[in-house]
Amino acid sequence: MFIAHTIADLRQRLSGAREPAFVPTMGNLHDGHIALLRRARDLGDLSVVSIFVNRLQFAPNEDFDRYPRTWEADCARLRAAGCDVLFAPDERELYPQPQTYTVRPPAELADILEGEFRPGFFTGVCTVVMKLFACVQPAVAVFGKKDYQQLMIIRRMVEQFALPIRIEAGETERDADGLALSSRNGYLSPAQRAEAVQLSAALRRIAQAARAGQADLAGVLAAETAALAARGWAPDYLTVRRRSDLQAAAPGEPAVVLGAARLGETRLIDNLEI
Protein backbone atom coordinates (compact mmCIF):
# COMPACT_ATOMS: atom_id res chain seq x y z
CA MET A 1 0.00 0.00 0.00
CA PHE A 2 1.36 3.35 -1.06
CA ILE A 3 0.81 6.15 1.47
CA ALA A 4 0.64 9.70 0.11
CA HIS A 5 0.69 12.62 2.51
CA THR A 6 0.84 15.29 -0.21
CA ILE A 7 -1.31 16.00 -3.23
CA ALA A 8 1.78 15.94 -5.46
CA ASP A 9 2.76 12.44 -4.29
CA LEU A 10 -0.82 11.24 -4.70
CA ARG A 11 -1.08 12.53 -8.26
CA GLN A 12 2.25 11.03 -9.21
CA ARG A 13 1.16 7.62 -7.91
CA LEU A 14 -2.19 7.82 -9.71
CA SER A 15 -0.79 9.11 -12.99
CA GLY A 16 -1.07 5.74 -14.73
CA ALA A 17 -4.45 4.71 -13.32
CA ARG A 18 -7.34 4.51 -15.77
CA GLU A 19 -10.25 4.13 -13.33
CA PRO A 20 -9.34 4.92 -9.73
CA ALA A 21 -12.05 3.94 -7.26
CA PHE A 22 -12.20 6.14 -4.19
CA VAL A 23 -13.48 5.79 -0.62
CA PRO A 24 -13.24 8.97 1.49
CA THR A 25 -13.12 8.42 5.28
CA MET A 26 -12.23 10.19 8.50
CA GLY A 27 -10.34 7.15 9.78
CA ASN A 28 -11.13 5.09 12.89
CA LEU A 29 -12.03 2.41 10.39
CA HIS A 30 -14.49 -0.42 10.99
CA ASP A 31 -15.90 -3.28 8.90
CA GLY A 32 -18.28 -0.90 7.15
CA HIS A 33 -15.37 1.07 5.72
CA ILE A 34 -13.63 -2.13 4.67
CA ALA A 35 -16.78 -3.27 2.86
CA LEU A 36 -16.74 0.02 0.92
CA LEU A 37 -13.08 -0.56 0.06
CA ARG A 38 -13.83 -4.07 -1.21
CA ARG A 39 -16.61 -2.63 -3.36
CA ALA A 40 -14.19 -0.04 -4.71
CA ARG A 41 -11.63 -2.71 -5.58
CA ASP A 42 -14.28 -4.45 -7.71
CA LEU A 43 -15.23 -1.23 -9.51
CA GLY A 44 -11.87 0.29 -10.48
CA ASP A 45 -8.38 -0.61 -11.55
CA LEU A 46 -6.82 0.98 -8.44
CA SER A 47 -8.35 1.56 -5.00
CA VAL A 48 -7.80 4.79 -3.09
CA VAL A 49 -8.87 5.49 0.50
CA SER A 50 -8.47 8.86 2.16
CA ILE A 51 -8.18 9.52 5.89
CA PHE A 52 -8.81 13.12 6.84
CA VAL A 53 -10.72 14.44 9.85
CA ASN A 54 -12.45 17.41 8.27
CA ARG A 55 -12.73 20.35 10.63
CA LEU A 56 -15.17 22.12 8.30
CA GLN A 57 -17.99 19.68 9.06
CA PHE A 58 -17.74 19.97 12.86
CA ALA A 59 -19.64 22.68 14.71
CA PRO A 60 -17.77 24.45 17.56
CA ASN A 61 -19.62 22.33 20.15
CA GLU A 62 -18.96 19.02 18.38
CA ASP A 63 -16.28 16.38 18.84
CA PHE A 64 -13.49 17.36 16.41
CA ASP A 65 -10.72 17.25 19.01
CA ARG A 66 -11.82 13.96 20.55
CA TYR A 67 -12.74 12.25 17.30
CA PRO A 68 -10.73 8.99 17.43
CA ARG A 69 -7.47 8.96 15.47
CA THR A 70 -6.35 5.33 15.06
CA TRP A 71 -3.64 5.64 12.42
CA GLU A 72 -1.67 2.42 12.97
CA ALA A 73 -4.77 0.25 13.25
CA ASP A 74 -6.31 1.91 10.18
CA CYS A 75 -3.20 1.30 8.08
CA ALA A 76 -3.09 -2.34 9.18
CA ARG A 77 -6.73 -2.86 8.25
CA LEU A 78 -6.32 -1.22 4.85
CA ARG A 79 -3.21 -3.26 4.02
CA ALA A 80 -4.98 -6.48 5.01
CA ALA A 81 -7.95 -5.58 2.79
CA GLY A 82 -5.76 -4.86 -0.24
CA CYS A 83 -5.95 -1.08 -0.45
CA ASP A 84 -3.63 0.23 -3.17
CA VAL A 85 -3.26 3.88 -2.13
CA LEU A 86 -3.92 5.70 1.13
CA PHE A 87 -4.16 9.48 0.91
CA ALA A 88 -3.61 11.00 4.35
CA PRO A 89 -3.03 14.76 4.12
CA ASP A 90 -2.78 17.02 7.14
CA GLU A 91 -4.75 20.25 7.40
CA ARG A 92 -1.91 22.37 6.06
CA GLU A 93 -1.75 20.22 2.94
CA LEU A 94 -5.46 20.15 2.19
CA TYR A 95 -6.23 23.67 3.41
CA PRO A 96 -3.00 25.67 2.88
CA GLN A 97 -5.08 28.85 3.01
CA PRO A 98 -8.38 29.40 4.82
CA GLN A 99 -11.03 27.61 2.77
CA THR A 100 -13.12 30.66 1.87
CA TYR A 101 -14.52 29.03 -1.27
CA THR A 102 -17.13 26.50 -0.20
CA VAL A 103 -19.82 24.31 -1.74
CA ARG A 104 -23.22 25.00 -0.22
CA PRO A 105 -25.93 22.49 -1.15
CA PRO A 106 -29.55 23.66 -1.53
CA ALA A 107 -31.43 24.36 1.69
CA GLU A 108 -34.38 22.14 0.81
CA LEU A 109 -32.08 19.12 0.93
CA ALA A 110 -29.27 20.20 3.26
CA ASP A 111 -31.12 22.12 5.98
CA ILE A 112 -33.53 19.32 6.90
CA LEU A 113 -32.94 16.23 9.08
CA GLU A 114 -29.20 16.21 9.82
CA GLY A 115 -28.82 19.75 8.54
CA GLU A 116 -31.44 21.03 10.97
CA PHE A 117 -29.53 19.68 13.95
CA ARG A 118 -26.04 20.26 12.54
CA PRO A 119 -26.15 23.64 10.75
CA GLY A 120 -23.45 23.98 8.11
CA PHE A 121 -22.57 20.29 8.28
CA PHE A 122 -23.27 19.53 4.63
CA THR A 123 -21.43 22.61 3.41
CA GLY A 124 -18.37 21.22 5.20
CA VAL A 125 -18.95 17.76 3.74
CA CYS A 126 -19.47 18.97 0.18
CA THR A 127 -16.47 21.29 0.32
CA VAL A 128 -14.05 18.61 1.49
CA VAL A 129 -15.47 15.96 -0.86
CA MET A 130 -15.17 18.32 -3.81
CA LYS A 131 -11.56 19.02 -2.85
CA LEU A 132 -10.78 15.33 -2.39
CA PHE A 133 -12.36 14.60 -5.78
CA ALA A 134 -10.06 17.25 -7.30
CA CYS A 135 -7.05 15.60 -5.68
CA VAL A 136 -7.88 11.97 -6.49
CA GLN A 137 -9.82 12.48 -9.75
CA PRO A 138 -11.57 9.13 -9.38
CA ALA A 139 -13.72 7.43 -11.97
CA VAL A 140 -15.95 6.07 -9.22
CA ALA A 141 -16.47 6.91 -5.54
CA VAL A 142 -18.17 4.71 -2.96
CA PHE A 143 -20.25 6.10 -0.08
CA GLY A 144 -22.23 4.18 2.53
CA LYS A 145 -26.01 4.22 2.77
CA LYS A 146 -25.80 4.65 6.53
CA ASP A 147 -25.24 8.37 5.86
CA TYR A 148 -28.30 8.42 3.61
CA GLN A 149 -28.76 12.17 3.33
CA GLN A 150 -25.04 12.68 2.73
CA LEU A 151 -25.08 10.12 -0.08
CA MET A 152 -27.99 11.90 -1.75
CA ILE A 153 -26.35 15.31 -1.44
CA ILE A 154 -23.06 14.06 -2.90
CA ARG A 155 -24.93 12.44 -5.80
CA ARG A 156 -26.70 15.74 -6.56
CA MET A 157 -23.45 17.69 -6.29
CA VAL A 158 -21.72 15.41 -8.80
CA GLU A 159 -24.68 15.66 -11.19
CA GLN A 160 -25.00 19.44 -11.02
CA PHE A 161 -21.28 20.08 -11.46
CA ALA A 162 -21.11 17.48 -14.27
CA LEU A 163 -18.22 15.73 -12.56
CA PRO A 164 -17.02 12.64 -14.46
CA ILE A 165 -17.46 10.45 -11.36
CA ARG A 166 -19.89 7.60 -10.79
CA ILE A 167 -21.25 7.49 -7.24
CA GLU A 168 -21.87 4.00 -5.90
CA ALA A 169 -23.76 3.22 -2.69
CA GLY A 170 -22.59 0.62 -0.19
CA GLU A 171 -25.15 -1.11 2.04
CA THR A 172 -25.07 -0.39 5.77
CA GLU A 173 -22.96 -2.91 7.67
CA ARG A 174 -24.38 -4.02 11.02
CA ASP A 175 -23.32 -5.95 14.08
CA ALA A 176 -25.12 -9.22 14.75
CA ASP A 177 -27.70 -7.45 16.95
CA GLY A 178 -28.56 -4.95 14.22
CA LEU A 179 -26.59 -1.90 15.37
CA ALA A 180 -25.26 0.01 12.37
CA LEU A 181 -21.47 0.17 12.40
CA SER A 182 -20.17 3.66 13.12
CA SER A 183 -16.89 5.17 14.22
CA ARG A 184 -18.78 6.88 17.03
CA ASN A 185 -19.92 3.54 18.48
CA GLY A 186 -16.54 3.48 20.20
CA TYR A 187 -17.73 6.30 22.47
CA LEU A 188 -20.41 4.05 23.99
CA SER A 189 -19.96 2.44 27.40
CA PRO A 190 -20.77 -1.30 27.61
CA ALA A 191 -24.23 -0.50 28.98
CA GLN A 192 -24.84 2.08 26.27
CA ARG A 193 -23.65 -0.34 23.61
CA ALA A 194 -26.25 -2.86 24.77
CA GLU A 195 -28.92 -0.14 24.67
CA ALA A 196 -27.84 1.30 21.31
CA VAL A 197 -29.60 -1.43 19.34
CA GLN A 198 -32.94 0.14 20.34
CA LEU A 199 -32.58 2.77 17.64
CA SER A 200 -32.42 0.25 14.79
CA ALA A 201 -35.19 -1.76 16.48
CA ALA A 202 -37.43 1.32 16.49
CA LEU A 203 -36.72 1.94 12.81
CA ARG A 204 -37.60 -1.67 11.98
CA ARG A 205 -40.95 -1.36 13.74
CA ILE A 206 -41.71 1.88 11.91
CA ALA A 207 -40.76 0.28 8.59
CA GLN A 208 -43.01 -2.70 9.32
CA ALA A 209 -45.92 -0.37 10.09
CA ALA A 210 -45.32 1.57 6.87
CA ARG A 211 -45.13 -1.60 4.78
CA ALA A 212 -48.38 -2.81 6.36
CA GLY A 213 -50.11 0.41 5.34
CA GLN A 214 -50.61 1.64 8.90
CA ALA A 215 -53.07 4.53 8.65
CA ASP A 216 -51.75 6.38 11.70
CA LEU A 217 -48.06 6.35 10.83
CA ALA A 218 -47.60 9.68 12.62
CA GLY A 219 -48.86 7.99 15.78
CA VAL A 220 -46.35 5.17 15.34
CA LEU A 221 -43.52 7.68 14.94
CA ALA A 222 -44.63 9.57 18.04
CA ALA A 223 -44.91 6.38 20.08
CA GLU A 224 -41.46 5.16 19.06
CA THR A 225 -39.95 8.58 19.79
CA ALA A 226 -41.55 8.60 23.23
CA ALA A 227 -40.38 5.05 23.91
CA LEU A 228 -36.76 5.97 23.15
CA ALA A 229 -37.02 9.06 25.35
CA ALA A 230 -38.39 6.93 28.18
CA ARG A 231 -35.30 4.70 27.90
CA GLY A 232 -32.99 7.68 28.36
CA TRP A 233 -32.41 8.68 24.74
CA ALA A 234 -32.67 12.23 23.43
CA PRO A 235 -34.23 11.74 19.96
CA ASP A 236 -33.66 14.39 17.29
CA TYR A 237 -35.97 12.81 14.74
CA LEU A 238 -37.67 9.61 13.64
CA THR A 239 -39.33 10.10 10.29
CA VAL A 240 -40.44 8.48 7.03
CA ARG A 241 -39.37 10.34 3.88
CA ARG A 242 -39.50 9.88 0.13
CA ARG A 243 -36.28 8.30 -1.11
CA SER A 244 -35.94 10.58 -4.12
CA ASP A 245 -35.64 13.89 -2.25
CA LEU A 246 -36.22 13.23 1.49
CA GLN A 247 -39.47 15.17 1.48
CA ALA A 248 -42.72 13.82 2.98
CA ALA A 249 -43.61 10.45 1.48
CA ALA A 250 -47.07 9.68 0.16
CA PRO A 251 -48.47 6.16 0.61
CA GLY A 252 -46.97 3.75 -1.87
CA GLU A 253 -43.94 5.88 -2.77
CA PRO A 254 -40.47 4.37 -2.30
CA ALA A 255 -39.52 5.60 1.15
CA VAL A 256 -36.86 5.46 3.84
CA VAL A 257 -37.16 5.55 7.61
CA LEU A 258 -34.50 7.77 9.17
CA GLY A 259 -33.60 8.32 12.79
CA ALA A 260 -31.11 10.24 14.89
CA ALA A 261 -30.87 10.26 18.65
CA ARG A 262 -28.35 10.96 21.35
CA LEU A 263 -27.49 8.27 23.90
CA GLY A 264 -25.49 9.91 26.66
CA GLU A 265 -22.91 12.04 24.85
CA THR A 266 -23.00 9.97 21.66
CA ARG A 267 -25.23 10.84 18.72
CA LEU A 268 -26.24 7.88 16.55
CA ILE A 269 -27.97 7.86 13.16
CA ASP A 270 -29.51 5.04 11.14
CA ASN A 271 -31.99 4.38 8.35
CA LEU A 272 -33.90 1.61 6.63
CA GLU A 273 -35.29 1.69 3.11
CA ILE A 274 -38.91 0.60 2.80
Side-chain angles (χ1 to χ4, degrees):
M1 182 175 71
F2 180 84
I3 300 176
H5 292 289
T6 69
I7 297 170
D9 285 347
L10 173 72
R11 287 177 173 165
Q12 182 176 16
R13 175 63 182 84
L14 298 182
S15 60
R18 291 178 293 103
E19 292 191 330
F22 179 42
V23 180
T25 84
M26 293 204 302
N28 193 27
L29 303 181
H30 51 67
D31 286 348
H33 295 113
I34 300 306
L36 298 181
L37 167 60
R38 293 195 178 107
R39 181 83 181 276
R41 292 188 64 203
D42 291 339
L43 294 170
D45 65 338
L46 185 143
S47 59
V48 184
V49 173
S50 66
I51 292 178
F52 180 71
V53 184
N54 178 42
R55 189 185 298 271
L56 296 185
Q57 67 193 65
F58 288 81
N61 63 333
E62 292 186 327
D63 57 348
F64 175 80
D65 289 329
R66 75 184 187 102
Y67 191 87
R69 276 78 165 173
T70 53
W71 172 253
E72 295 297 336
D74 290 349
C75 288
R77 295 201 70 161
L78 292 173
R79 286 191 185 97
C83 178
D84 295 310
V85 178
L86 169 58
F87 180 42
D90 62 18
E91 284 192 290
R92 289 172 298 179
E93 178 67 17
L94 206 57
Y95 301 133
Q97 302 92 28
Q99 190 68 34
T100 54
Y101 284 78
T102 59
V103 180
R104 177 170 170 75
E108 63 269 20
L109 187 56
D111 291 353
I112 61 173
L113 302 172
E114 286 300 284
E116 178 182 350
F117 292 92
R118 303 182 70 187
F121 171 70
F122 288 116
T123 295
V125 168
C126 288
T127 300
V128 76
V129 170
M130 182 68 87
K131 196 155 194 180
L132 289 169
F133 282 170
C135 295
V136 178
Q137 299 180 34
V140 59
V142 187
F143 291 80
K145 282 189 179 181
K146 180 183 156 297
D147 297 294
Y148 203 90
Q149 187 176 7
Q150 173 179 282
L151 171 63
M152 178 174 290
I153 288 172
I154 295 299
R155 280 192 192 279
R156 297 283 182 86
M157 181 182 78
V158 167
E159 290 168 1
Q160 291 207 5
F161 282 102
L163 301 179
I165 302 170
R166 188 169 81 255
I167 302 298
E168 293 284 340
E171 296 297 329
T172 301
E173 296 289 317
R174 299 181 181 274
D175 277 338
D177 61 1
L179 178 66
L181 298 187
S182 168
S183 297
R184 288 186 168 89
N185 291 352
Y187 295 153
L188 300 170
S189 69
Q192 289 171 333
R193 171 59 189 83
E195 172 64 24
V197 70
Q198 294 300 324
L199 178 59
S200 60
L203 297 187
R204 284 198 303 273
R205 289 190 291 269
I206 295 166
Q208 288 167 0
R211 291 188 189 105
Q214 170 67 254
D216 185 20
L217 194 56
V220 175
L221 290 166
E224 292 293 347
T225 300
L228 284 177
R231 300 181 68 95
W233 292 73
D236 285 341
Y237 59 82
L238 297 176
T239 186
V240 177
R241 298 295 177 97
R242 190 164 53 211
R243 286 190 210 174
S244 61
D245 58 8
L246 297 184
Q247 300 302 308
E253 287 186 307
V256 57
V257 186
L258 304 110
R262 194 173 297 276
L263 184 59
E265 296 299 314
T266 305
R267 188 173 183 275
L268 301 177
I269 67 171
D270 201 353
N271 66 81
L272 287 172
E273 291 182 328
I274 301 172

